[in-house]
């Protein structure tokens, strides 16, 4: 299959579901039930699976912002969020945000975090 | 987007990976049953993180919820006071018959914690309670409060879990009935052998549970009854490995150290299998000659349970320290955000002066111990 050769980001291996898979594979390797090469292949399968599932099966939308000093409601300085660092390297954006509020479109759920790191790869190569 | 979608998305990912890996397993001549194990291990690890409610988890079980909520009841409910007194009376009677009752090995430490925190497992009190219902005198006193308790529980569940609790509440009545069966079992399984009369013994446990008898210091670790429900968090000894230092003193190995040992073992094994650093990052591969030796002989290695040679230890310690700090540096970089991370693709990132706007897609967001997935996200922030 052509898609087998297509490369997918290994980015999502850091996610909780990816880390859980890595741990589970580690366990199996440690028991010498599978060898590391096979584990790498399974991880590559994971790269593809999560990219496809996220692309095709998730419809949820999300918006997030950090409260800005210029906003309508005056906020105490500690509540103000900011983009702490940004980095663009090898087509990967990395942002560190402080005091972020995530708003889920459906359900109106709001989640706040004092610190979030965003790692984002370009959508272009696999986007179509 | 909500947290509830995550379970299904992850389930789908797991299924896809397992399916896709079947071919690879075949090519490597590995039995497919490994896949099941992998799947289970994977799911177990996800469940353990409590990121979301997963489809493979058992439905929020009325019993489980009861266990969490029940312990609150005795302290909150005046109606239980009555029952409490009755039990106290009974216990006095029993203590006359069995003077050593308080030293019996049903862990009072666990019982004691029932009062404080609803999150701490409190099975002894909860499980045994129904058992006492069958022992005659207690029966009438308990059924009435139980209905009240049930009602409260239903309310509690609704408050805490919203719609998700609907099933649970429906099952609550059924759960009550089931509960009556299960605990009896537990009661009998405990290999105490102290009281001649089982019923009396059960009653004994229940009364102490209700009263939250003071934890007695002389009840050491060895005297805890076998736990059927996993570990309680406040067990005094959590270590599973002890390390003997150069001075002969044993120290308990923390989880991190054990993890590190396992990691070292895996690395060593992986290396021996692949025959020499083919799959390692370059900087690691060059380091490997020195460090693999240390893995087997350095102080943190698993083979060091025999005291060991002190001089060699010192020599290696310097090197392994350097290596460790190197490795840790990498790890800390990943962990510094406390696991609050969003992994995604970007469509567009724009900046005007210090204002940033970005359009992201296909992401996984992990904040405050929960996971979220999204198809599209927009963000605005200032630098």
């Amino acid at each position: 299959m052509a898609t087998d050769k297509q490369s997918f980001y290994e980015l999502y291996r850091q996610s909780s579901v990816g880390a859980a898979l890595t741990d589970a594979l580690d366990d199996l390797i440690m028991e010498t039930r599978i060898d590391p090469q096979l584990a790498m292949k399974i991880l590559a399968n994971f790269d593809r699976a999560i990219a496809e599932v996220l692309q095709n099966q998730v419809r949820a939308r999300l918006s997030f912002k950090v409260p800005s000093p210029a906003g309508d409601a005056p906020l105490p300085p500690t509540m103000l969020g900011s983009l702490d660092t940004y980095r663009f390297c090898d087509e990967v954006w990395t942002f560190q945000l402080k005091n972020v509020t995530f708003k889920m479109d459906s359900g109106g759920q709001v989640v706040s975090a004092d610190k979030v790191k965003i790692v984002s790869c370009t959508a272009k190569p696999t986007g179509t | 987007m909500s947290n509830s979608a995550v379970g299904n998305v992850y389930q789908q990912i797991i299924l896809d990976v397992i399916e896709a890996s079947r071919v690879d397993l075949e090519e490597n001549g590995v039995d497919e049953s490994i896949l099941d194990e992998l799947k289970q291990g994977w799911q177990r690890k996800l469940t353990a993180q409590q990121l979301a409610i997963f489809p493979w988890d058992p439905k929020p079980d009325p019993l489980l919820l009861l266990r969490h909520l029940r312990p609150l009841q005795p302290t909150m409910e005046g109606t239980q006071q009555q029952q409490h007194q009755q039990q106290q009376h009974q216990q006095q009677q029993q203590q006359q018959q069995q003077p050593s009752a308080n030293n019996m090995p049903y862990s009072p430490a666990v019982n004691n914690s029932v009062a404080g925190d609803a999150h701490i497992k409190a099975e002894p009190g909860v499980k045994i309670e129904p058992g006492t219902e069958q022992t005659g005198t207690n029966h009438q006193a308990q059924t009435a409060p139980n209905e009240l308790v049930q009602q409260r529980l239903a309310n509690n569940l609704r408050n805490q879990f919203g719609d998700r609790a609907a099933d649970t509440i429906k099952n609550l009545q059924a759960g009550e009935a089931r509960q009556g069966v299960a605990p009896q079992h537990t009661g009998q399984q405990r290999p105490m052998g102290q009281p001649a009369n089982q019923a009396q013994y059960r009653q004994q446990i229940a009364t102490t549970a209700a009263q939250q008898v003071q934890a007695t210091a002389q009840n050491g670790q060895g005297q805890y009854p076998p736990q059927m429900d996993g570990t309680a968090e406040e067990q005094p000894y959590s270590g599973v490995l002890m390390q003997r230092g150069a001075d002969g003193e044993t120290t308990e190995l923390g989880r991190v150290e054990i993890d590190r040992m396992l990691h070292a073992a895996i690395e060593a094994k992986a290396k021996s299998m692949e025959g020499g650093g083919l799959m390692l990052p370059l900087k690691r591969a060059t380091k490997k000659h020195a460090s693999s030796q240390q893995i087997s002989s350095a102080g943190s290695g698993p083979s060091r349970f025999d005291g060991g040679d002190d001089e060699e230890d010192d020599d290696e310690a310097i090197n392994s320290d350097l290596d460790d700090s190197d490795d840790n540096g990498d790890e800390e970089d990943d962990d510094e955000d406390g696991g609050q991370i969003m992994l995604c693709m970007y469509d567009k990132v724009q900046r005007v002066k210090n204002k940033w706007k970005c359009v992201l897609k296909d992401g996984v967001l992990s904040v405050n111990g929960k996971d979220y997935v999204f198809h599209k996200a927009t963000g605005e922030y200032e630098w």
Side-chain angles (χ1 to χ4, degrees), chain B residues 135-147:
Chain B
T135 59
T137 44
N138 244 345
H139 187 65
Q140 273 87 22
Q142 272 197 338
T143 24
N146 265 353
E147 278 164 22

Side-chain angles (χ1 to χ4, degrees), chain B residues 201-222:
Chain B
Y201 171 60
R202 262 186 249 135
Q203 218 168 29
Q204 179 77 31
I205 290 181
T207 37
T208 15
Q211 290 179 338
Q212 288 118 31
V213 170
Q214 195 89 29
T216 45
Q218 61 265 44
N219 269 310
Q221 193 191 12

Side-chain angles (χ1 to χ4, degrees), chain B residues 37-80:
Chain B
E37 252 176 83
L38 175 64
K39 186 173 160 192
Q40 274 159 21
W42 191 357
Q43 292 178 342
R44 226 183 4 251
K45 284 178 199 298
L46 281 172
T47 303
Q49 295 182 65
Q50 298 186 324
L51 301 162
I53 293 170
F54 295 113
W56 58 80
D57 291 340
K59 286 268 175 292
D61 184 14
L63 271 178
L64 200 79
L65 290 168
L66 280 173
R67 275 178 213 164
H68 282 282
L69 296 174
R70 265 286 176 90
L72 280 180
Q73 304 303 328
T75 50
M76 289 170 8
E77 298 246 346
T79 44
Q80 297 234 342

Side-chain angles (χ1 to χ4, degrees), chain B residues 226-286:
Chain B
Q227 279 201 308
M228 321 288 175
D229 53 351
T231 54
E233 278 81 358
E234 70 284 356
Q235 288 271 3
Y237 293 102
S238 58
V240 290
L241 274 181
M242 305 289 276
Q243 183 178 38
R244 191 184 296 275
D247 51 353
E249 235 175 65
T250 52
T251 46
E252 201 176 292
L253 285 183
R255 189 174 298 176
V256 179
E257 284 154 309
I258 295 173
D259 269 358
R260 208 167 284 151
M261 280 164 56
L262 293 180
H263 188 73
I266 294 170
E267 266 189 342
K269 205 165 280 176
K271 188 173 178 255
S272 72
M273 278 177 162
E274 77 196 17
L278 267 180
M279 299 170 61
L280 295 169
L282 253 181
K283 59 167 184 167
R284 289 276 196 86
T286 50

Side-chain angles (χ1 to χ4, degrees), chain B residues 152-163 165 169:
Chain B
R152 286 258 174 141
L153 266 176
N155 288 340
N156 265 353
L157 290 177
R158 214 168 285 130
N159 289 342
Q160 279 204 358
F161 299 96
D163 293 340
I169 293 167

Side-chain angles (χ1 to χ4, degrees), chain A:
Chain A
M1 235 164 51
T3 51
D4 276 348
K5 284 290 140 217
Q6 190 184 345
S7 59
F8 290 87
Y9 291 121
E10 295 178 8
L11 165 84
Y12 297 111
R13 292 185 193 182
Q14 300 175 59
S15 67
S16 44
V17 63
L21 172 62
T22 314
D23 279 358
L25 286 170
D26 267 355
D27 289 350
L28 288 175
I29 292 174
M30 209 170 52
E31 297 163 13
T32 61
R33 311 283 300 278
I34 60 172
D35 56 39
Q37 287 98 322
L38 181 56
M40 297 308 282
K41 281 188 183 163
I42 295 177
L43 277 175
N45 290 335
F46 167 78
D47 294 337
R48 181 160 52 95
I50 190 169
E52 284 174 358
V53 169
L54 285 176
Q55 197 175 345
N56 302 326
Q57 304 203 4
V58 178
R59 285 282 153 264
R61 298 172 66 92
L62 164 91
S63 65
F64 60 96
K65 57 168 79 176
V66 292
S68 75
D72 327 318
L75 285 165
T78 50
M79 292 285 290
L80 291 177
S82 64
L83 170 61
D84 197 47
T85 46
Y86 59 88
R87 181 162 56 215
F88 181 66
C89 185
D90 287 344
E91 304 235 287
V92 177
W93 274 109
T94 309
F95 300 107
Q96 302 237 28
L97 296 169
K98 283 184 173 165
N99 292 323
V100 198
T101 310
F102 297 93
K103 207 178 266 171
M104 326 303 171
D105 274 6
S106 63
Q109 214 178 340
V110 175
V111 179
S112 304
D114 55 349
K115 208 171 170 192
V116 174
K117 179 169 161 184
I118 300 178
V119 181
S120 186
C121 296
T122 177
K124 299 259 160 60
T126 52
T128 46

